[in-house]
Amino acid sequence: MSRLSFPQKSSEAVLNNVVTAKDLELLVQDQAFIDGCWVKKAQTFNVYEPSTAQVLGTVADCDLNDIQSAIESANVAQKNFYSSTTAAQRGNLLRKWHDLVMQNVEDLGRILCLENGKTINEAKGEIAYAASFIAWFAEEGTRSYGDTIPSSTLNTIVLTEKEPVGVCGIITPWNFPAAMISRKVAPALAAGCAVVIKPPSETPFTCLALTKLALKAGIPGKAIQVCPTKNRQVASELATHPLVRKISFTGSTNVGKNLAILAAGTLKRISLELGGNAPFIVFDDADVDLAVEGAMMSKFRCSGQTCVCANRLYVQRSILNKFTRSLVQKVSELRLGPGIEDSCTQGPLINASAVNKVKSHIEDAVSKGASVEIGGSAPEVPGFFMQPTVLSGVTVDMLVARDETFGPLAPIFPFDTEEEVLNLANSTEFGLAGYIFSGNVARVMRVARKLEIGMCGVNTGKISAAESPFGGVKESGYGLEGSKYGMAEYQTIKTITLGNLHMPGLIFPKCDYISGPSEPY
């Protein structure tokens, strides 16, 4: 029997109710949202619960006509949304959305936990994290300043202003089904853009629930369109349709490259947050306990399924045994089980393929001389579970040195010198995140500057927050999310040149100004 049940009421009746945490069914939706309406589709696809490998529910499977309709509707809505609201009014709408999300943390967390597999506490933490981006961009939209530029021509003024880029295609991954929505959609709406979202087919329920709350907050229905689909050709329409002016994608490097090629056909703006292979460097002057704590956070959060996971742990040889023993002890204290149970600290992986990839990395490493310090196998139980695993004696010829594992596997590589570890850390086509643990400030700054990455954590395993720029270099993509830079991804700069200001008779139209605060949209 499904662990999620759907309301018997009509979508309109559900949306007319005040959404509270009293009834989970009010937030569960299995339909698409197109042109301001919930749309039921005869064609659906299954969503599986990772903890049981059983069907959790079914969701509308949109076709090409659906997504084209959504794009065309969003194009009209975008112009109306921007022209009829101020930045302050859009900020008010986002603040209301944020408040509704925070009022429903418990139910949103349960939905996320069931479809994604992460523990219930981690799921609720992600909901709060997602809400922080909505709050941030509610404020940031009012600070999108233009410039007055000194002109090289007499009697001329050069001005710039920022405008929304247009309809934005939003394609998000399954590992953070709430945070990746808010981190992309909130700045788009703050800038005055309309969005067409293709949520992950593994975890669509969270996106649909957040959409319900956005509508309840008063965000115009046609400014947000949600088209679930398992059809890659349908999703690719976002990258090729001429009315879509911007694509924001988080996911695999190969898919990101394909989207970039497709988007080039209409010269769309595109931002890509792709694969990672993060080095985690522990020098012999580091606080080992702090480094182990950072490794647990950056490696085993979301069962190792994050793009900024510590994928390669480099530990200086003189503290190698101490670090390894301490890490193994901490890993032994993790409790594997269904994420919905409060006592569990490690949930399942997203699907069987994810489990098989971790197993193949372990088998490859062991066949080439690595040792399993703890874990190393998949328990024979229902669901997609994998034991948290630590490998020692890892070398550069093993798969774990080159490939992003995306699972609860911590391979430990020994190193001797700073120069050696920098060469090892940078010997990858990826460059998203990295971590350094050291008590030497000069070394920290020296190594941080030489690492070929977009984000660096120093003596911490936590590097992401709404105020912090998020993005990578090399084949980890381009463009930034979050922070004051995140708004710019959804805006264009228009230059206005006012010339011949000395001419007699040149007048400006009379303006009527209304004092006092603006009414909310």
Side-chain angles (χ1 to χ4, degrees), residues 111-340:
I111 293 170
L112 194 158
C113 168
L114 290 173
E115 68 175 351
N116 171 276
K118 65 178 59 175
T119 66
I120 186 64
N121 290 328
E122 201 172 339
K124 289 188 288 188
E126 183 187 335
I127 298 301
Y129 175 55
S132 73
F133 287 101
I134 303 173
W136 174 267
F137 286 108
E139 300 295 332
E140 200 61 28
T142 61
R143 290 188 282 271
S144 293
Y145 307 133
D147 295 299
T148 302
I149 302 171
S151 174
S152 59
T153 303
L154 286 174
N155 303 306
T156 300
I157 297 175
V158 180
L159 307 172
T160 66
E161 63 178 13
K162 295 177 181 178
E163 296 182 341
V165 68
V167 176
C168 298
I170 307 296
I171 305 175
T172 59
W174 51 262
N175 59 335
F176 284 91
M180 295 303 96
I181 290 292
S182 63
R183 197 162 76 183
K184 298 174 188 294
V185 172
L189 294 175
C193 298
V195 297
V196 180
I197 306 169
K198 203 295 283 184
S201 58
E202 298 89 349
T203 58
F205 291 119
T206 301
C207 173
L208 292 165
L210 289 172
T211 300
K212 279 194 167 187
L213 294 178
L215 298 174
K216 197 67 187 176
I219 293 170
K222 296 182 182 182
I224 297 182
Q225 318 258 345
V226 185
C227 296
T229 183
K230 291 201 76 171
N231 188 322
R232 184 164 289 186
Q233 181 181 358
V234 172
S236 296
E237 184 71 8
L238 289 173
T240 57
H241 199 294
L243 292 181
V244 178
R245 299 309 313 150
K246 152 85 179 181
I247 291 287
S248 179
F249 171 76
T250 299
S252 73
T253 298
N254 287 338
V255 174
K257 288 179 178 179
N258 289 333
L259 286 173
I261 292 169
L262 293 173
T266 50
L267 294 181
K268 293 187 197 322
R269 184 181 298 186
I270 186 166
S271 56
L272 302 170
E273 193 259 284
L274 308 177
N277 191 2
F280 185 98
I281 303 171
V282 185
F283 288 99
D284 58 9
D285 56 5
D287 180 324
V288 173
D289 292 337
L290 185 65
V292 169
E293 178 185 329
M296 294 297 295
M297 179 182 295
S298 65
K299 175 70 265 183
F300 294 104
R301 184 166 58 105
C302 194
S303 296
Q305 299 173 113
T306 80
C307 53
V308 295
C309 266
N311 204 59
R312 299 167 292 157
L313 280 66
Y314 296 111
V315 181
Q316 202 152 21
R317 201 175 299 275
S318 60
I319 59 168
L320 179 63
N321 290 337
K322 181 180 180 181
F323 177 90
T324 302
R325 286 195 305 271
S326 182
L327 182 63
V328 169
Q329 176 58 40
K330 288 292 184 181
V331 170
S332 72
E333 297 168 6
L334 297 175
R335 186 176 184 276
L336 187 64
I340 201 68

Side-chain angles (χ1 to χ4, degrees), residues 2-21:
S2 172
R3 294 284 294 279
L4 288 178
S5 56
F6 298 104
Q8 299 302 311
K9 308 170 188 176
S10 68
S11 299
E12 183 178 1
V14 171
L15 289 175
N16 285 336
N17 287 323
V18 176
V19 180
T20 69

Side-chain angles (χ1 to χ4, degrees), residues 388-403:
T389 301
V390 177
L391 295 179
S392 62
V394 184
T395 57
V396 296
D397 62 330
M398 299 173 185
L399 284 175
V400 289
R402 304 187 301 274
D403 293 351

